[in-house]
Amino acid sequence: MSALPSRWYNVARTVFRAGCWLIVVVVSAEFLLAAYGKYGLLDSPAYGRFVDRHGWLWLHLAGGVVAIVAGPVQLLARWWWERPALHRQVGYVYFGGILTGSAAAAGLIATTPAPLSIKLGFAGTALAWLTTALLAMLAIHRGRVQRHRTWMLRNYAVTLAPVLFRLMLPVAIAAGLAPGGTLISCLLWASWLVPLAVLEAFRRRLPASTPSPYRWRTALRQHLPWWLINRGFAGKGKDCAAHGGAHSWYNIDGATSGCYHCRVVVRHDP
């Protein structure tokens, strides 16, 4: 078994992650205050582009703010392990925000007079937002917790696309690029493709999880008769994580997930 990461490595990784999330939270809060604030008054000039489309706009804004706010809570909090039922309930709210925002985005795209290139840019963002959310939901319903967390990170990267787009547009114009449909379309695609590429590159550089110390027992059980297994031969270990190993989850009954290699069970119901 490979050596466990040093204490200082864990501290540095925690500080780095906390710093990254702090930046995300601060930038997202500024985006919500600035971008959403302009729609605070019904007679605001910002509504000029949304004549007869206020309903779609409000639904899209509501779904977006739910996802932006609930995302860090879900991804940072430890209750996904300690209070899985609460995590699941907040998760349903998060996914509800994405479904609402995606449906409203479809309505806005279908009724906008914008050029086709911009429509395709918005449509690609909405499709990526919804697809990554559905894949995350499918993974957790199959009991694949780590895959669920990976897809949730990808989904939140897409959720932040409007935040990044708002930062990229003035930078591109200041760099001398002509504002117009082509620039906006390119930035719409880049606002979620670039974060996904960075996220995947970062994930690949992380050290792989330490395998479970009990995985040899799991492999052995596959070749033993049931009566030997019932007598305790090659039984599951006590706790993979307690020995520095990674759990490998499967769905037991829809309400609980168990580890293939040890006796740890996570309950998703109160």
Side-chain angles (χ1 to χ4, degrees):
M1 185 176 66
S2 60
L4 295 178
S6 67
R7 175 175 177 270
W8 288 111
Y9 172 82
N10 287 332
V11 171
R13 184 174 61 176
T14 300
V15 171
F16 175 75
R17 288 180 175 177
C20 291
W21 276 110
L22 179 61
I23 294 173
V24 168
V25 170
V26 171
V27 173
S28 298
E30 192 277 335
F31 168 79
L32 292 176
L33 292 174
Y36 280 58
K38 62 185 179 182
Y39 298 107
L41 299 176
L42 294 179
D43 59 350
S44 170
Y47 284 110
R49 294 175 297 168
F50 300 99
V51 177
D52 299 328
R53 299 191 298 155
H54 290 180
W56 290 123
L57 175 64
W58 290 336
L59 285 174
H60 183 64
L61 293 176
V65 72
V66 168
I68 289 175
V69 172
V73 176
Q74 287 291 84
L75 293 170
L76 291 177
R78 295 298 298 174
W79 67 34
W80 68 271
W81 175 266
E82 300 166 355
R83 303 182 66 182
L86 178 59
H87 174 76
R88 183 173 63 174
Q89 292 165 4
V90 177
Y92 285 144
V93 174
Y94 177 83
F95 284 115
I98 291 177
L99 291 175
T100 301
S102 299
L108 289 171
I109 293 168
T111 57
T112 182
L116 178 61
S117 60
I118 294 180
K119 287 184 178 182
L120 292 176
F122 279 115
T125 305
L127 183 61
W129 196 28
L130 182 60
T131 301
T132 51
L134 292 177
L135 289 172
M137 180 72 80
L138 181 62
I140 197 61
H141 276 286
R142 291 180 174 177
R144 299 176 179 178
V145 177
Q146 188 55 47
R147 181 172 297 183
H148 168 73
R149 288 179 59 81
T150 299
W151 278 112
M152 280 297 301
L153 285 171
R154 292 167 179 161
N155 176 259
Y156 196 66
V158 181
T159 299
L160 295 177
V163 180
L164 185 58
F165 175 84
R166 182 172 175 270
L167 296 175
M168 294 169 66
L169 182 58
V171 172
I173 295 175
L177 297 178
T182 301
L183 176 61
I184 292 176
S185 176
C186 292
L187 292 181
L188 285 172
W189 289 100
S191 64
W192 61 273
L193 285 174
V194 171
L196 283 182
V198 172
L199 175 63
E200 291 306 309
F202 181 73
R203 287 183 59 250
R204 292 178 185 275
R205 291 181 64 87
L206 291 176
S209 299
T210 304
S212 168
Y214 307 118
R215 65 190 186 281
W216 66 270
R217 300 187 189 182
T218 306
L220 182 59
R221 285 197 300 274
Q222 297 175 0
H223 304 284
L224 292 178
W226 63 269
W227 55 271
L228 274 181
I229 296 176
N230 288 345
R231 290 178 178 273
F233 285 88
K236 288 188 174 185
K238 184 177 181 181
D239 186 351
C240 297
H243 295 276
H247 293 294
S248 181
W249 302 104
Y250 67 94
N251 183 29
I252 298 176
D253 56 9
T256 54
S257 294
C259 178
Y260 284 108
H261 309 302
C262 69
R263 296 191 293 271
V264 171
V265 173
V266 176
R267 301 189 181 278
H268 303 296
D269 282 335

